[in-house]
Amino acid sequence: NEDRERAWRTSRETKLESIPNCEACAKPTPEEVQGWAQSFDKLMKSPAGRNIFREFLRTEYSEENMLFWLACEELKTECNKHTIDEKARMIYEDYISILSPKEVSLDSRVREVINRKMQEPSSHTFDDAQLQIYTLMHRDSYPRFLNSAIYKSLLQTVSHSSSES
């Protein structure tokens, strides 16, 4: 049993490591970092905000929520039918399948909708699921993020560096 758990953990870590650590972005301004406390939307619209929030989610073992949300955002930009099919299958296997170690928490209604839509995937196959995960992050993880050492430390760092200049 320990061996199986170790193997599962190793495969999960390997999969997570193969994902680029974060989006490329500029260092956030003190105003931007303070703005994240005012609105979850501001946080999610900012690449730097998503990076730091994702770092926080990793500490809570729920990074897959952000990864799923980002994968859905990327899928929405696709126009090529073949690429959409391919990406939709990957998203399904990585985040929706009950066999995936990165499975996101969705209700049965949303799962049924996705299973039907997977017959003919589109760039909007996961919209309901993406909204559900966004809402989950907003209601559940976001308040804890604002009280986390990660956020408070960043807030202090950017405030301190701006007062020096």
Side-chain angles (χ1 to χ4, degrees), residues 12-31:
R12 179 184 168 100
E13 287 165 1
T14 306
K15 282 182 183 143
L16 291 179
E17 282 167 12
S18 67
I19 298 158
N21 200 4
C22 51
E23 301 171 75
C25 61
K27 190 172 184 250
T29 65
E31 296 74 31

Side-chain angles (χ1 to χ4, degrees), residues 3-161:
D3 289 343
R4 192 177 358 183
E5 195 172 306
R6 195 177 305 114
W8 175 81
R9 198 175 299 117
T10 302
S11 78
R12 179 184 168 100
E13 287 165 1
T14 306
K15 282 182 183 143
L16 291 179
E17 282 167 12
S18 67
I19 298 158
N21 200 4
C22 51
E23 301 171 75
C25 61
K27 190 172 184 250
T29 65
E31 296 74 31
E32 191 178 1
V33 175
Q34 288 160 357
W36 300 340
Q38 295 160 6
S39 143
F40 184 62
D41 288 337
K42 281 183 182 176
L43 175 72
M44 291 296 283
K45 284 186 173 110
S46 159
R50 289 191 300 268
N51 284 338
I52 195 85
F53 186 54
R54 181 176 162 190
E55 195 178 307
F56 167 75
L57 291 174
R58 191 177 297 151
T59 68
E60 292 208 326
Y61 303 98
S62 59
E63 180 185 23
E64 64 277 355
N65 291 332
M66 178 63 81
L67 297 174
F68 170 71
W69 188 86
L70 289 167
C72 292
E73 286 297 289
E74 189 181 312
L75 179 65
K76 288 179 191 175
T77 66
E78 278 307 326
C79 300
N80 180 299
K81 178 77 178 108
H82 177 72
T83 308
I84 289 170
D85 285 353
E86 227 171 72
K87 284 187 177 182
R89 300 248 173 261
M90 285 176 67
I91 291 171
Y92 187 89
E93 286 172 21
D94 284 350
Y95 305 106
I96 309 300
S97 169
I98 56 171
L99 302 172
S100 172
K102 295 186 287 183
E103 178 191 5
V104 292
S105 179
L106 299 170
D107 66 35
S108 58
R109 181 195 64 79
V110 169
R111 282 185 183 283
E112 285 171 27
V113 168
I114 290 172
N115 287 331
R116 277 198 304 277
K117 288 181 174 179
M118 283 304 291
Q119 305 301 314
E120 197 61 39
S122 79
S123 57
H124 295 281
T125 295
F126 302 103
D127 285 2
D128 291 348
Q130 186 185 22
L131 178 61
Q132 198 168 74
I133 294 303
Y134 186 88
T135 304
L136 176 77
M137 289 190 294
H138 184 186
R139 288 193 186 140
D140 192 45
S141 305
Y142 176 63
R144 286 195 304 277
F145 167 72
L146 294 178
N147 289 311
S148 71
I150 289 174
Y151 179 67
K152 287 180 176 171
S153 166
L154 177 68
L155 201 51
Q156 227 174 5
T157 305
V158 295
S159 299
H160 186 69
S161 64

